[in-house]
Amino acid sequence: MQILKSFSTVGLYTIGSRLIGFVRTIMTASLLGATGISDALEIAIKIPSFLRRLFAEGAFNAAFIPLFASRLSGDSKAEAKSFAEEIFSLLAITLAVLIVLVEIFTPQVMHMFVPGFAKTPERMQYAIDFTRYTFPFIFFISITALYGGILNSFDKFASVASSPMIGNISIIAVVLGLASQMDTAGHSFALAITVCGLVQLLWVWVPAYRLGMALKLRMPRISNNTREFLKKFGPAASSSGVVQINILIGAIIASFLPSGGVSYLSYAERLNQLPLSVIGTAAATALLPPLSKLIRTKDTQRSHQAQTDTIEACLLLALPATIGLITLAHPLITLLFERKAFTPEASLATSYALMAFASGLPAYIMIKVFSSIFFAHQD
């Protein structure tokens, strides 16, 4: 029941975040449509998101949360905090170096990610400019994930689950304030992405500070704690890396589509992400910390029951969501996006992409749940 309660908390805040996110997406569609500028913005968002799934979500959380939770379950808050500070220092310095390198070599990075944009030099230049605005987001959101893992291990899910909603609100506010003052609306959206990361970090830092878990930066060193983390992080990053390679190949192929093609895929993916996040991500987030503790205490019966209940709840929600997205794709896209710069032709193309994405939804949701089960076993 505690896991289902946590699942509901995370799910409800995720719904709120996605609804605010739809307002943001509707603004993007209305201001930019499906054009070369919107294609460039989507790629500029996708590149830090590509790394986010390694440093701020799946692989990082899979390695960090079980180790942190196991130290916490031994009633050693000081030991758990010391471990978190070591990982925080390693993460922060690694990301700072990465950001400096990408900011310097952005043109080369873009030619690797979206070689097809070379045929439309203006679109390529927008992608380079926008990426320089968006890339620092990876630093803020990765540290947010670290603090989020700490809060989740204390069974404090609300602040973590609500942080994306607050981030989306900050994006809308920045765009409304700056869209008319920058070269294009795309520039204001790109800048707003990094502001969003900073706001989300502050949102989770405050409750962590109240728990006595405000982390201090140390000189990174390869300690036993760091080795144990990297030993878990390596395989998790490799498995996550398979999915990221798919995303990279998808971006490369999409870059050769005519202007607007990248945007069709991105708008459809955002709608498909709603049930994936509300069901799959929420369930995986809620399951991982308590299951890690049950396994640590060798409570086999309760750990098996937690797994079974989570899988049943996910499938009960996932299958109707899949059918709904496939059968209602075109009217949904038309209702949400078709206005101003977003044309009927764009609605039709986006709906076809949504049907394709939705067909894999139950499998993607189950992957998230099964992954959490393995990660809870530190496997």
Side-chain angles (χ1 to χ4, degrees):
M1 288 304 297
Q2 179 59 41
I3 291 173
L4 291 177
K5 181 181 177 182
S6 300
F7 175 22
S8 300
T9 299
V10 177
L12 286 172
Y13 278 115
T14 303
I15 290 172
S17 173
R18 289 297 171 179
L19 290 175
I20 300 296
F22 275 135
V23 175
R24 164 194 155 191
T25 304
I26 289 167
M27 283 179 62
T28 308
S30 178
L31 292 172
L32 301 178
T35 61
I37 293 178
S38 65
D39 284 354
L41 178 63
E42 294 301 336
I43 292 299
I45 294 171
K46 190 181 289 289
I47 288 176
S49 296
F50 174 85
L51 294 170
R52 172 185 183 170
R53 291 179 175 93
L54 287 178
F55 290 109
E57 289 175 358
F60 179 83
N61 279 338
F64 177 76
I65 290 178
L67 295 174
F68 182 83
S70 65
R71 285 161 173 76
L72 203 59
S73 66
D75 294 324
S76 181
K77 186 176 177 180
E79 182 187 354
K81 184 178 181 180
S82 177
F83 168 72
E85 286 183 341
E86 288 189 44
I87 304 307
F88 165 68
S89 301
L90 178 67
L91 181 66
I93 291 175
T94 301
L95 288 171
V97 172
L98 177 64
I99 289 168
V100 170
L101 290 174
V102 171
E103 291 291 332
I104 294 171
F105 297 106
T106 306
Q108 290 80 3
V109 171
M110 298 313 301
H111 280 88
M112 180 183 73
F113 266 85
V114 284
F117 278 20
K119 295 181 179 179
T120 49
E122 186 180 28
R123 190 166 56 153
M124 176 64 84
Q125 188 58 52
Y126 277 130
I128 292 168
D129 293 343
F130 293 164
T131 300
R132 283 180 166 145
Y133 279 116
T134 61
F135 200 76
F137 169 80
I138 185 62
F139 179 89
F140 297 121
I141 205 64
S142 297
I143 305 302
T144 299
L146 174 64
Y147 278 110
I150 291 170
L151 292 173
N152 286 345
S153 298
F154 280 93
D155 294 327
K156 305 291 184 183
F157 290 96
S159 296
V160 183
S162 61
S163 67
M165 181 170 63
I166 301 302
N168 277 320
I169 291 171
S170 71
I171 290 174
I172 293 169
V174 170
V175 171
L176 288 175
L178 296 180
S180 62
Q181 301 176 36
M182 302 190 77
D183 291 344
T184 69
H187 287 84
S188 64
F189 274 108
L191 177 61
I193 295 299
T194 290
V195 174
C196 162
L198 176 59
V199 169
Q200 286 188 244
L201 174 56
L202 293 173
W203 191 257
V204 296
W205 181 85
V206 171
Y209 174 80
R210 290 172 180 164
L211 286 170
M213 282 287 168
L215 306 178
K216 295 178 180 178
L217 192 65
R218 303 178 175 184
M219 180 62 68
R221 60 191 183 91
I222 304 301
S223 64
N224 290 335
N225 282 334
T226 308
R227 288 191 191 94
E228 188 176 7
F229 170 78
L230 292 175
K231 194 178 293 184
K232 305 295 181 187
F233 179 78
S238 298
S239 63
S240 180
V242 174
V243 179
Q244 305 319 309
I245 289 170
N246 286 342
I247 293 171
L248 175 59
I249 293 171
I252 291 171
I253 295 170
S255 72
F256 290 97
L257 295 173
S259 288
V262 172
S263 299
Y264 300 148
L265 295 170
S266 296
Y267 289 129
E269 186 178 17
R270 284 181 190 168
L271 197 55
N272 190 58
Q273 284 287 329
L274 176 60
L276 181 58
S277 298
V278 170
I279 304 169
T281 304
T285 299
L287 178 63
L288 183 55
L291 185 59
S292 298
K293 293 175 184 176
L294 290 172
I295 291 167
R296 169 88 172 185
T297 57
K298 303 187 186 303
D299 193 339
T300 305
Q301 183 176 351
R302 289 178 64 201
S303 66
H304 285 180
Q305 190 62 48
Q307 294 169 190
T308 302
D309 290 346
T310 304
I311 291 168
E312 288 177 352
C314 285
L315 286 175
L316 183 66
L317 297 170
L319 295 176
T322 300
I323 295 168
L325 284 179
I326 291 173
T327 56
L328 299 174
H330 191 224
L332 277 173
I333 296 296
T334 301
L335 175 66
L336 289 169
F337 302 138
E338 194 176 303
R339 58 184 57 81
K340 293 186 179 179
F342 201 89
T343 64
E345 292 76 17
S347 292
L348 185 62
T350 303
S351 68
Y352 290 149
L354 178 57
M355 292 177 190
F357 280 133
S359 65
L361 186 59
Y364 272 107
I365 288 171
M366 286 295 98
I367 286 169
K368 288 186 175 293
V369 176
F370 289 134
S371 295
S372 277
I373 293 170
F374 279 105
F375 294 148
H377 283 273
Q378 299 188 24
D379 182 353

